[in-house]
Amino acid sequence: MKASGRKYQIAVIGGDGIGPDVVQEALKVLTATGTPFDSKRFDISGERYLRDGETLSNTTVHELRKFDAILFGAIGTPEVPPSILERGIILKLRFDLDLYINMRPVKGVAPGQTKGHEIVVIRENTEGSYVGEGGVLRRGTDYEVATQGSVNTAFGVARCVRYAFELAASRPRRHLTLVHKTNILQYSGDLWQRIFDQVAVEFPTVTTAYFHVDAACIYFVNDPHRFDVIVTDNLFGDIITDLGASISGGIGRAASANLNPMRSNPSLFEPVHGSAPDIAGKGIADPTAAILSAALMIDFLGENEAATRITAACQEPAFGSTKEIGDTIASRVSRS
């Protein structure tokens, strides 16, 4: 897409811990590109939940729909039990806004390698093990039973796989790998494999491959160059992209996009790292992942040249406090 020349409306959710600080630096760098935008901050966080019991209301979701994009920091505070914020905020945003594509670039030089890699992982973002299908019986007893299912629909798998093929077809290598566990997960794996094979017929210029997820993890470390675009389900995608971050400079440089490719709702862009409460307020968090997420955001909005400038400015390391790193990258962008 090309730049529209209009002023974009960006919803900003700083969240908890280091989230507000890294998002602030991302906005600084975005301003340095000259991209016209207005932003509005939303108080959505663990602190808000502790204060008044609210995670994310339907009213707030309705308001977020009016924006062009959402820039998100991080959610999580030790005082809130696990799953409340994850399901009440992060997953609710993905499900309610139909952010069915999670895209995570994996770019860098893996330890022990001399040649760089540039992989894009396309993760289905609204189905699988994260939908919450399951239950518990006799909780807290010796006879407790817990079940957790994985929900996969032909519709959901097909639109994710087709997006991945379209992306692969637009890249120089034109290669797409399906990652799953078809030898054990005979129902969901079979659905993914059959749809993958069916859609592949529509893209004769794209070469394909398949790896079980455990083998893919080995190759991520030992031979990442065999991958170009990867498509996988929600759970496997969550796991392998964190591994991808470790071979690409660390979690502090890992950006992600939660996309609604139909553009019927705003897409959401966030660093992969968490809220890191142990270093919150110390000014030592690396904001690079948030800055690269902002680059993904404006690229999706059509500001491709500005996005390229941000990405290029992040290639060389920047040092210092959170603010100093943001200042350095913003200065590079301004000069480019």
Side-chain angles (χ1 to χ4, degrees):
M1 293 179 62
K2 294 182 179 179
S4 68
R6 68 184 183 86
K7 182 174 285 190
Y8 300 102
Q9 302 301 309
I10 308 300
V12 178
I13 302 174
D16 297 305
I18 64 173
D21 293 339
V22 297
V23 163
Q24 181 64 34
E25 299 311 307
L27 292 172
K28 177 192 298 179
V29 173
L30 183 57
T31 299
T33 67
T35 301
F37 73 96
D38 286 328
S39 62
K40 179 178 178 178
R41 297 179 185 273
F42 285 80
D43 183 12
I44 301 171
S45 64
E47 289 187 5
R48 168 75 183 272
Y49 175 78
L50 291 170
R51 190 167 65 246
D52 59 22
E54 181 174 303
T55 50
L56 177 62
S57 69
N58 291 332
T59 300
T60 301
V61 172
H62 178 73
E63 186 174 357
L64 288 170
R65 294 182 196 275
K66 302 173 185 177
F67 289 80
D68 295 305
I70 303 168
L71 186 60
F72 189 95
I75 291 291
T77 181
E79 293 80 13
V80 180
S83 85
I84 292 177
L85 301 179
E86 291 83 356
R87 291 202 167 276
I89 298 175
I90 298 173
L91 295 187
K92 182 175 174 61
L93 284 168
R94 292 176 182 175
F95 296 151
D96 286 8
L97 299 179
D98 200 21
L99 307 178
Y100 62 89
I101 294 294
N102 185 282
M103 181 176 72
R104 295 189 180 182
V106 178
K107 184 177 182 180
V109 180
Q113 302 283 326
T114 58
K115 178 183 176 183
H117 54 267
E118 188 169 349
I119 308 165
V120 179
V121 178
I122 300 300
R123 164 192 172 194
E124 201 292 317
N125 210 30
T126 58
E127 294 189 350
S129 302
Y130 288 27
V131 300
E133 191 275 334
V136 62
L137 295 172
R138 298 186 291 272
R139 181 181 176 88
T141 74
D142 293 339
Y143 305 100
E144 181 172 339
V145 178
T147 64
Q148 193 80 58
S150 177
V151 177
N152 300 264
T153 68
F155 172 77
V157 173
R159 65 180 182 174
C160 178
V161 167
R162 181 163 282 105
Y163 183 90
F165 267 103
E166 290 171 351
L167 176 62
S170 71
R171 289 164 62 88
R173 287 181 59 185
R174 297 181 182 178
H175 188 272
L176 177 63
T177 302
L178 170 63
V179 170
H180 211 280
K181 192 69 175 172
T182 56
N183 60 334
I184 300 297
L185 304 177
Q186 68 268 40
Y187 304 122
S188 61
D190 177 66
L191 177 63
W192 274 85
Q193 185 70 70
R194 282 188 289 112
I195 290 178
F196 183 86
D197 293 342
Q198 292 166 9
V199 177
V201 176
E202 303 173 23
F203 295 87
T205 64
V206 177
T207 58
T208 63
Y210 170 82
F211 290 112
H212 295 323
V213 64
D214 43 354
C217 288
I218 294 171
Y219 293 133
F220 252 55
V221 176
N222 292 342
D223 189 17
H225 313 102
R226 69 173 60 208
F227 299 115
D228 179 21
V229 180
I230 292 173
V231 64
T232 189
D233 82 345
N234 209 337
L235 177 60
F236 294 148
D238 196 6
I239 294 168
I240 66 173
T241 51
D242 280 0
L243 176 59
S246 73
I247 65 167
S248 303
I251 203 76
R253 297 183 58 85
S256 74
N258 297 269
L259 303 177
N260 178 300
M262 303 302 293
R263 300 177 190 269
S264 56
N265 289 303
S267 294
L268 182 149
F269 303 82
E270 61 175 326
V272 174
H273 62 67
S275 60
D278 57 322
I279 62 170
K282 297 181 179 180
I284 59 175
D286 185 349
T288 305
I291 293 168
L292 288 169
S293 297
L296 292 176
M297 178 179 72
I298 59 173
D299 187 63
F300 187 73
L301 292 175
E303 299 289 340
N304 314 116
E305 184 271 339
T308 299
R309 286 162 56 199
I310 294 176
T311 303
C314 292
Q315 294 309 301
E316 291 297 323
F319 302 98
S321 68
T322 304
K323 180 180 182 301
E324 289 169 337
I325 293 173
D327 288 342
T328 298
I329 295 174
S331 177
R332 293 172 182 170
V333 167
S334 298
R335 295 196 306 266
S336 61

